Amino acid sequence: MTGRITGCGGSVFDLPPLLSWNLDYTGGVPCDSFSVTFPYENGMAETLRQATGFEAVHQGKIVLRAIVDEYSIDLGPGGVTASLSGRGMAARLLDNESQSVTYQDVTLAELIRKHVSPYGITVRETADLRAGSVYTVPAGASQWRALEGFCRTYGAFLPRFTPEGDLLAAPEQDSGGRLLLGEGDLMLSCSLREDRYGVVTEALVIDKTRQTSYSVRNEEMIALGGQCRRVIYTPGQSTWDAMRYTGEYQIKRSKEDQTTVTVRLPGSFLAFPGDIVSVDLPKMGLRKDLRVAEAENDFSPEKGAAVTLTLKERG
């Protein structure tokens, strides 16, 4: 893998061969992140000071586009090295607060135009959504929260970013990425965890303006003895569909974290968030298709290249 940085004036600088690196993909929040270390070259100080963007390139393809948060120059026994770290493009929306604003019948396209586009975000995909009611962005909310809250309430999905830094504001589709893992495959480690804490058994959605409510129940977890109710208050004039989807969304999201498989494999960039991993490990009682929720790729001379995949239930 190689790296390059862009300066505040638009200049592009190819970094020296990387000594070590770590690229962590989530697709959402917490956002993608990176850190790289490389030999320092004379005269590089001003280039690092002007750095605003970072691109990681693997086999001629951009595998991460991000912003630079921090750099350092370090003198040690091995000589002088430099390090860069930063976050994916979602950081631009997380770092900026929105003014308090109330919309009537706002569309997702209009919301993106006001809360996303001003921050230099490229939008690759947008769902055809309309609130059909009042949608309020509270004071102090980030631009990400303004977008995420709308997509969650009226579309029952979370917006995501591609590794290239483009926004996907639409329900997640099958990415087409497939990875097969069986007992004959080389794995550095694999663990299965089932955590029932926080799995919602009932979502009670209340519209305070109309004095109406709607209950959505997780019968599977109730049968296992679970008791975890969440009460969600929606903005005024909520439609029944918006209320129902909010309740279903709360249960769906809590169930996604119930089963987690963490597997560490040799290599790099084997899968990305949204890809499907078919796991066939009978000895662990595990035979199912799971979704990649997080993919952390790292390299060091001592340990070589490896990827840690966090797998969860498909939505």
Side-chain angles (χ1 to χ4, degrees):
M1 189 190 84
T2 60
R4 60 183 176 230
I5 55 178
T6 55
C8 53
S11 59
V12 178
F13 179 81
D14 291 328
L15 296 176
L18 303 178
L19 301 174
S20 64
W21 44 264
N22 180 282
L23 274 63
D24 192 6
Y25 299 91
T26 65
V29 174
C31 52
D32 301 342
S33 61
F34 79 93
S35 62
V36 296
T37 301
F38 47 90
Y40 178 81
E41 297 177 350
N42 290 335
M44 193 183 288
E46 186 61 28
T47 299
L48 295 176
R49 190 174 295 113
Q50 297 288 330
T52 59
F54 171 81
E55 290 181 352
V57 181
H58 177 66
Q59 298 179 348
K61 179 182 178 182
I62 294 176
V63 292
L64 181 68
R65 182 176 284 116
I67 66 172
V68 175
D69 286 329
E70 179 182 330
Y71 79 89
S72 67
I73 302 172
D74 305 286
L75 174 62
V80 184
T81 61
S83 298
L84 284 172
S85 61
R87 296 165 295 156
M89 299 304 290
R92 296 201 180 279
L93 302 183
L94 288 165
D95 290 348
N96 289 279
E97 288 188 354
S98 170
Q99 293 180 324
S100 175
V101 58
T102 298
Y103 295 103
Q104 178 68 48
D105 297 329
V106 66
T107 64
L108 178 55
E110 182 180 1
L111 205 73
I112 287 175
R113 181 173 60 82
K114 294 185 177 180
H115 295 271
V116 175
S117 297
Y119 300 94
I121 303 295
T122 299
V123 182
R124 182 180 296 186
E125 190 175 349
T126 305
D128 184 14
L129 287 183
R130 179 181 294 273
S133 62
V134 171
Y135 179 67
T136 299
V137 180
S142 67
Q143 303 291 14
W144 170 264
R145 184 179 171 189
L147 172 68
E148 185 265 348
F150 185 90
C151 293
R152 180 188 62 205
T153 302
Y154 298 102
F157 67 86
L158 284 176
R160 306 163 317 285
F161 278 85
T162 68
E164 299 87 354
D166 296 341
L167 176 66
L168 301 173
E172 187 171 86
Q173 304 294 324
D174 190 336
S175 66
R178 289 290 188 276
L179 182 64
L180 305 177
L181 289 181
E183 293 184 340
D185 295 315
L186 177 60
M187 288 180 280
L188 302 177
S189 64
C190 182
S191 66
L192 164 66
R193 188 187 80 248
E194 183 171 332
D195 184 3
R196 298 178 182 178
Y197 175 79
V199 178
V200 176
T201 55
E202 180 188 8
L204 180 63
V205 188
I206 298 176
D207 185 329
K208 296 177 67 176
T209 301
R210 295 182 176 180
Q211 294 297 306
T212 56
S213 63
Y214 191 99
S215 174
V216 182
R217 291 163 58 87
N218 181 355
E219 299 295 349
E220 179 182 0
M221 186 54 60
I222 292 173
L224 291 172
Q227 290 184 337
C228 181
R229 187 176 80 159
R230 294 288 183 265
V231 180
I232 305 103
Y233 293 93
T234 68
Q237 301 181 28
S238 297
T239 65
W240 280 101
D241 277 345
M243 295 172 70
R244 176 169 58 86
Y245 290 144
T246 299
E248 290 177 347
Y249 173 85
Q250 296 293 332
I251 291 177
K252 173 185 173 183
R253 292 294 296 175
S254 70
K255 290 172 67 175
E256 287 177 0
D257 293 329
Q258 182 176 348
T259 301
T260 302
V261 175
T262 304
V263 58
R264 187 165 174 81
L265 306 165
S268 298
F269 311 112
L270 302 178
F272 294 91
D275 290 349
I276 302 301
V277 178
S278 296
V279 184
D280 188 7
L281 300 172
K283 291 181 179 179
M284 299 182 65
L286 185 60
R287 180 174 286 171
K288 60 171 60 178
D289 289 348
L290 298 170
R291 175 190 177 276
V292 178
E294 183 176 353
E296 182 178 6
N297 300 263
D298 57 82
F299 169 82
S300 68
E302 300 79 16
K303 298 182 179 180
V307 57
T308 301
L309 300 178
T310 301
L311 311 177
K312 298 192 176 184
E313 296 282 358
R314 302 175 66 178

